[in-house]
Amino acid sequence: MTRREARAAREAEEARLAPQEEPQPENPAPPVSAASTPSAAGWTLGGEPISSPTPTQESSADLAALAGLDFDAVMTGPIAQVEEPQPVGAAARHGSDDRVASPPDHPARTLSGVLEDTEDETAEDGHPLIWRQQHYLSHDEPPKKRRWVRGLIVTVVILAVLGGLAGGAYAIFQPQIVKLQDALFPPANDYTGSGSGEVMFTIKSGDDGSTIANNLAKAGVVKTYEAFYSLLLRQKSDPEFQPGVFKLAKKMSAASALAALQDPQSRVENTAVIPEGTAEKDILQTVADATKIPLADLQAAAANPQAYGAPAEAKSLEGFLFPATYTFAPGTTAQQAIKTMVDRMFQALDQAGVAPENRWNTIVLASIVQREAGLKDDYPKVARVFLNRIAQGWDLQSDATVAYGTGHTDRVTTTDAEREDPNNPYNTYVHPGLPVGPISNPGDLAINAVQHPADGSWMYFVTWNLQTGETIFSTTQAEHEAAVEKWQQWMKDNPGYG
C-alpha cells in the first residue's frame, strides 16, 4: 500500500469515528480565506466590512457603497458618522479550513489590523502549510490609535472615490470633500463647532483679511490667526467683508466665523462699537459705516462743538465722544447721533465727580493717559507721573501727543525729528504743560485715573515688555536709564517689534 493510499484509509477511518457535527446556523460567518480576506480585518465602516475591489473595475458610487457610504450623501449631504471598529466573529477569526486555522504557538496579537502570511513546516504530502495569523486591533488599545486607523481607512475610501472621478467632477465636489476631510481631521490650531456666548465684532472700513483674522483671534472668536487666514487663502474667490458690527460667539471654528461674517443675518444693524482711545475722525467713520449716515453729514454736524455743550476751549469734539457700543434707531440724523455720544461723555464725567469747570483739563489729561497706559492697574500710576511732572514744571514728553499732532492716530511711537519739531502744537517735548487739546476719546478707566491718581513719587515710566504690557515706574534718572536698558534688550531679543 502506498503512502497516499495509507493516508486516504486513515482519513476515512477518522471520519467514520468522528462525532456527529453540530448543526450550523442559517447564516454562518464566512471563513477567512485567501480569496475572501477583508483588506482590514475586523474593521467596519457604516456597519459593513471593507473589501478590496480594484478601483479601475468599480464605479465611484460602487466604491462608496462597498465602504458602507452613501455616495450621494458623501457628495452633497451632511458628514456621515463613522462607527467604532468591531472585531468579526469567531468563525471568521479562525476559519473553517484546517489549513487556515491559527497555530497554537502563534496567539493573536494587538497590532495593525492586517493579515500576515508565514510559512510553517512542510506537510507529509510535500505541500507547505500556510498559517494565516490575523492581527486584530484590540479594544484595549488607546482610542487615539483606533481613531487614527479609522481616519486612515476613510481617507483610503475617499481617494478610491476620487480615483473614479474625472478632473471636472472633482472640481464640482471639492467643497464637499474638503468639508468631509475637515470634519475627520480638524486642524490643531482651530476650534470646532459654532461656539457659545456672544461677541459683538466690528469690521472697520479698510480692514483686510489679515486684520480681520488678527482681530478675531484677539477677541477669542477663533483659536488662532492662522486658522482663519489660511481658510481665506483656500477660498475659490476672495470673500467680501462689509463694515459693521456682527454678532458672533466665543470659540468658533474658522469656517463658522467666516460664514457668520458673510451672513447678513449676523450683522447688527445701526450698531457702532467705539473702543477707548479712538480719535474723533475714526469715530465718525465708524458711525457712518453702521448707520449709513453720510460721513460728510457727520463731519458737518461735529464742526460746532459748543452746540453740544462742549467747553469754550474745544475747537472740535475730540475727547467728548464717549467710547461705547451704540445702537441707533433707523432714521437717526447726524446731529442726533453726535448728541447721543456727547451726552454720554458728560454722564461719565458727572459720575466720576468732575465739576463742569474742570471738564476740559480732565479730558485733555485723560486722553493722554488713555493712549499711554497699558495694563488696567497702571492707569492711576501713569496719571500720577504726568501730574508729578506738571507740579515740578517738567515737560510731559508724551510720544502719544507728538504722534497725534503729526496726524497719526494709529500709533504712539515717534522719531527724533518729530520730537524736535516745534511747529507741532501737540509736541509736549518742546511745549510745556498740557497740549492744546485732547488726543483721543477716553473711557471711564482713564477719567477715574485722573480723578484718583495713585500715590507715588514716580517721574518716569517705560513699558519694557511690549507683549505683556509690563511697565517700570521710576523716580530717579538712574532708575529710568536702567529700565530703558531692559526695554532695549527686550527689543533686541524680539526683533519683530522693532
Side-chain angles (χ1 to χ4, degrees):
M1 179 182 294
T2 64
R3 290 178 57 187
R4 185 178 300 277
E5 291 172 340
R7 185 172 63 252
R10 185 175 66 251
E11 291 174 351
E13 181 64 13
E14 290 175 351
R16 185 180 66 81
L17 296 176
Q20 192 71 21
E21 292 184 358
E22 294 293 334
Q24 298 295 319
E26 293 183 4
N27 297 306
V32 179
S33 65
S36 63
T37 302
S39 60
W43 284 90
T44 61
L45 184 63
E48 297 295 333
I50 299 177
S51 57
S52 304
T54 303
T56 57
Q57 296 175 351
E58 302 290 344
S59 68
S60 300
D62 291 337
L63 286 169
L66 287 169
L69 296 174
D70 181 87
F71 183 76
D72 292 333
V74 171
M75 292 297 102
T76 61
I79 303 302
Q81 295 295 320
V82 182
E83 296 181 1
E84 288 294 330
Q86 299 293 333
V88 296
R93 280 199 296 270
H94 301 297
S96 59
D97 187 338
D98 288 344
R99 290 179 180 271
V100 188
S102 297
D105 59 340
H106 287 256
R109 292 174 294 171
T110 300
L111 288 177
S112 60
V114 297
L115 298 180
E116 181 179 282
D117 293 349
T118 57
E119 289 194 7
D120 207 344
E121 298 178 0
T122 304
E124 290 181 354
D125 58 359
H127 294 82
L129 294 177
I130 305 299
W131 297 108
R132 298 191 176 277
Q133 178 180 342
Q134 300 183 37
H135 298 158
Y136 290 90
L137 194 61
S138 167
H139 281 280
D140 295 332
E141 188 163 347
K144 182 176 181 181
K145 180 172 288 187
R146 293 204 298 271
R147 289 194 297 270
W148 182 87
V149 175
R150 180 180 63 187
L152 176 61
I153 294 172
V154 174
T155 302
V156 171
V157 174
I158 293 174
L159 294 176
V161 172
L162 294 180
L165 295 176
Y170 172 76
I172 295 174
F173 295 122
Q174 189 263 352
Q176 287 82 6
I177 294 168
V178 170
K179 180 181 178 182
L180 178 58
Q181 290 174 326
D182 287 345
L184 291 171
F185 312 110
N189 62 354
D190 196 4
Y191 293 123
T192 59
S194 56
S196 60
E198 184 176 295
V199 176
M200 303 301 287
F201 183 77
T202 302
I203 296 179
K204 300 178 182 179
S205 294
D207 283 356
D208 56 16
S210 179
T211 301
I212 293 171
N214 189 49
N215 291 340
L216 285 170
K218 286 183 177 179
V221 175
V222 299
K223 190 172 185 179
T224 62
Y225 165 91
E226 292 79 9
F228 189 82
Y229 193 65
S230 63
L231 177 63
L232 295 184
L233 297 179
R234 296 200 304 269
Q235 302 303 301
K236 291 182 178 179
S237 58
D238 293 337
E240 293 185 5
F241 297 102
Q242 298 297 324
V245 179
F246 297 82
K247 185 181 293 186
L248 305 179
K250 289 281 188 180
K251 296 184 177 181
M252 302 179 75
S253 69
S256 296
L258 177 59
L261 290 176
Q262 295 184 303
D263 183 359
Q265 297 298 322
S266 300
R267 194 172 191 273
V268 182
E269 295 295 333
N270 301 330
T271 298
V273 178
I274 301 171
E276 291 85 351
T278 306
E280 177 191 14
K281 68 176 185 178
D282 299 320
I283 290 177
L284 298 183
Q285 181 65 66
T286 298
V287 173
D289 291 338
T291 62
K292 304 307 179 186
I293 298 174
L295 177 60
D297 291 355
L298 289 166
Q299 291 170 336
N304 184 8
Q306 281 69 41
Y308 303 96
E313 297 94 333
K315 301 298 188 290
S316 71
L317 285 176
E318 190 73 88
F320 292 92
L321 302 173
F322 190 77
T325 298
Y326 297 94
T327 299
F328 299 99
T332 298
T333 66
Q335 289 80 5
Q336 290 170 336
I338 290 175
K339 186 176 187 302
T340 297
M341 294 184 286
V342 174
D343 288 348
R344 179 64 183 84
M345 177 58 79
F346 290 155
Q347 178 185 348
L349 292 169
D350 291 342
Q351 290 175 344
V354 180
E357 62 271 19
N358 294 330
R359 285 176 175 174
W360 176 252
N361 286 341
T362 298
I363 284 293
V364 173
L365 182 54
S367 73
I368 301 173
V369 173
Q370 184 72 68
R371 294 290 289 165
E372 289 279 7
L375 302 177
K376 177 181 178 181
D377 293 341
D378 289 342
Y379 277 68
K381 295 180 181 179
V382 171
R384 171 53 64 191
V385 169
F386 286 129
L387 289 172
N388 286 344
R389 285 184 164 235
I390 292 173
Q392 296 292 328
W394 290 25
D395 293 337
L396 291 186
Q397 295 188 349
S398 166
D399 287 74
T401 64
V402 177
Y404 180 87
T406 64
H408 293 286
T409 59
D410 58 340
R411 62 176 172 87
V412 176
T413 57
T414 58
T415 65
D416 290 341
E418 289 172 339
R419 290 190 296 272
E420 295 169 0
D421 182 12
N423 296 319
N424 181 349
Y426 289 88
N427 188 346
T428 53
Y429 279 84
V430 296
H431 301 297
L434 291 171
V436 296
I439 64 169
S440 73
N441 289 272
D444 287 321
L445 190 60
I447 293 172
N448 281 287
V450 172
Q451 280 294 95
H452 307 285
D455 292 331
S457 58
W458 311 294
M459 301 297 290
Y460 310 87
F461 67 88
V462 58
T463 301
W464 73 272
N465 188 320
L466 302 187
Q467 281 184 326
T468 64
E470 293 178 80
T471 300
I472 299 175
F473 293 84
S474 306
T475 300
T476 67
Q477 180 71 25
E479 292 173 344
H480 179 60
E481 290 176 354
V484 170
E485 288 180 2
K486 188 173 183 179
W487 164 69
Q488 291 173 338
Q489 183 60 50
W490 189 92
M491 293 294 289
K492 291 180 182 178
D493 296 337
N494 299 270
Y497 285 81

